[in-house]
Amino acid sequence: MPSLRDRLPPGQYMAKDLPVHLAGSIPLWNPETWDFRVFGLVESPLTLSHAEFEAIPRVERISDLHDVSTWSVLDNRWEGVPAREIVARVRPLPQAAFVLLHADGGASASLPLSDLLRVDVLLATRRGGVVLPPEQGAPLRIVVPHRYAFKSLRWLRAIEVLDREQKGFFEARGYSASADPWKDDRFAES
Ligand SMILES: Nc1nc2c(c(=O)[nH]1)N[C@H]1C(S)=C(S)[C@@H](COP(=O)(O)O)O[C@H]1N2
Ligand SMILES: [Mo]
């Protein structure tokens, strides 16, 4: 079993719990009108109500979250739907290669489509056995453990499937597009 130190990427320190990390205000959501959409370069675009999303069988994944501001929280127990199950449902077109994640409140983040196929990338509705509190992204966030946490968009509402990389909110503000914690890859060069 790797020691805790070996699980910390370069330049990171171990935080006890998720620091409350809020730039703006928490977006309000209404279970009656909330939906989750996948659109763009797919054969079958998808729109799910909150009840429909909650009806999908959930899995549990334990993973570490590494923030670009140097805190890491190990062993978060997330529950949700694997992103790759949703990808399989929508059937991306052959030219699909990237996604842009969209959140309530206006944030967005870019990822290669292949990232969504990784087993531990989750559309999470719960952490530590309880539904996400508002500040952690209720009712839905994505968890992308192998990228810095600004890619783990809270208040997720849609996934747009694209044929090329399109910068999201954080990438457009100087953060690294690849955001690999193990390469200390925090900020875009230029
Ligand atoms: N929609 C949205 N998602 C977001 C952010 C944001 O400002 N808006 N901040 C990101 C950043 S910078 C971090 S560090 C994590 C914090 O997530 P936590 O609630 O797990 O600590 O959320 C990410 N997801
Ligand atoms: Mo962050």
Side-chain angles (χ1 to χ4, degrees), residues 99-180:
V99 297
L100 193 59
L101 308 169
H102 298 277
D104 270 340
S108 54
S110 166
L111 287 175
L113 177 62
S114 56
D115 271 29
L116 299 191
L117 307 180
R118 294 173 64 125
V119 282
D120 55 358
V121 173
L122 216 57
L123 302 177
T125 57
R126 289 160 177 75
R127 177 174 175 269
V130 296
V131 294
L132 294 174
E135 71 275 12
Q136 279 180 25
L140 182 68
R141 75 179 301 169
I142 190 166
V143 178
V144 189
H146 64 287
R147 307 274 185 194
Y148 283 123
F150 64 83
K151 304 273 190 181
S152 288
L153 222 57
R154 295 173 281 178
W155 313 296
L156 183 72
R157 287 295 297 275
I159 298 177
E160 181 178 2
V161 180
L162 301 162
D163 58 355
R164 68 198 69 173
E165 185 164 31
Q166 190 176 314
K167 281 184 178 165
F169 180 91
F170 292 101
E171 296 87 7
R173 281 161 179 75
Y175 290 99
S176 162
S178 43
D180 183 345

Side-chain angles (χ1 to χ4, degrees), residues 1-185:
M1 175 139 171
S3 77
L4 288 178
R5 273 194 66 170
D6 294 339
R7 291 171 56 192
L8 271 189
Q12 296 293 112
Y13 75 93
M14 209 178 302
K16 277 218 163 57
D17 202 354
L18 297 176
V20 175
H21 184 115
L22 262 188
S25 52
I26 298 172
L28 295 173
W29 72 283
N30 174 346
E32 300 300 321
T33 55
W34 184 94
D35 61 9
F36 172 72
R37 293 192 307 132
V38 186
F39 65 99
L41 299 175
V42 296
E43 272 179 48
S44 311
L46 181 73
T47 303
L48 296 172
S49 68
H50 186 250
E52 287 166 339
F53 197 97
E54 281 290 305
I56 304 174
R58 290 188 294 275
V59 301
E60 190 179 285
R61 300 272 185 264
I62 295 174
S63 63
D64 303 341
L65 197 61
H66 306 296
D67 184 57
V68 73
S69 75
T70 75
W71 55 260
S72 289
V73 178
L74 305 187
D75 293 325
N76 299 284
R77 187 159 59 86
W78 302 104
E79 246 178 90
V81 178
R84 64 182 188 181
E85 279 190 31
I86 297 294
V87 172
R89 281 197 197 196
V90 299
R91 289 176 288 140
L93 297 174
Q95 67 270 35
F98 286 89
V99 297
L100 193 59
L101 308 169
H102 298 277
D104 270 340
S108 54
S110 166
L111 287 175
L113 177 62
S114 56
D115 271 29
L116 299 191
L117 307 180
R118 294 173 64 125
V119 282
D120 55 358
V121 173
L122 216 57
L123 302 177
T125 57
R126 289 160 177 75
R127 177 174 175 269
V130 296
V131 294
L132 294 174
E135 71 275 12
Q136 279 180 25
L140 182 68
R141 75 179 301 169
I142 190 166
V143 178
V144 189
H146 64 287
R147 307 274 185 194
Y148 283 123
F150 64 83
K151 304 273 190 181
S152 288
L153 222 57
R154 295 173 281 178
W155 313 296
L156 183 72
R157 287 295 297 275
I159 298 177
E160 181 178 2
V161 180
L162 301 162
D163 58 355
R164 68 198 69 173
E165 185 164 31
Q166 190 176 314
K167 281 184 178 165
F169 180 91
F170 292 101
E171 296 87 7
R173 281 161 179 75
Y175 290 99
S176 162
S178 43
D180 183 345
W182 295 98
K183 293 186 176 151
D184 207 349
D185 172 22

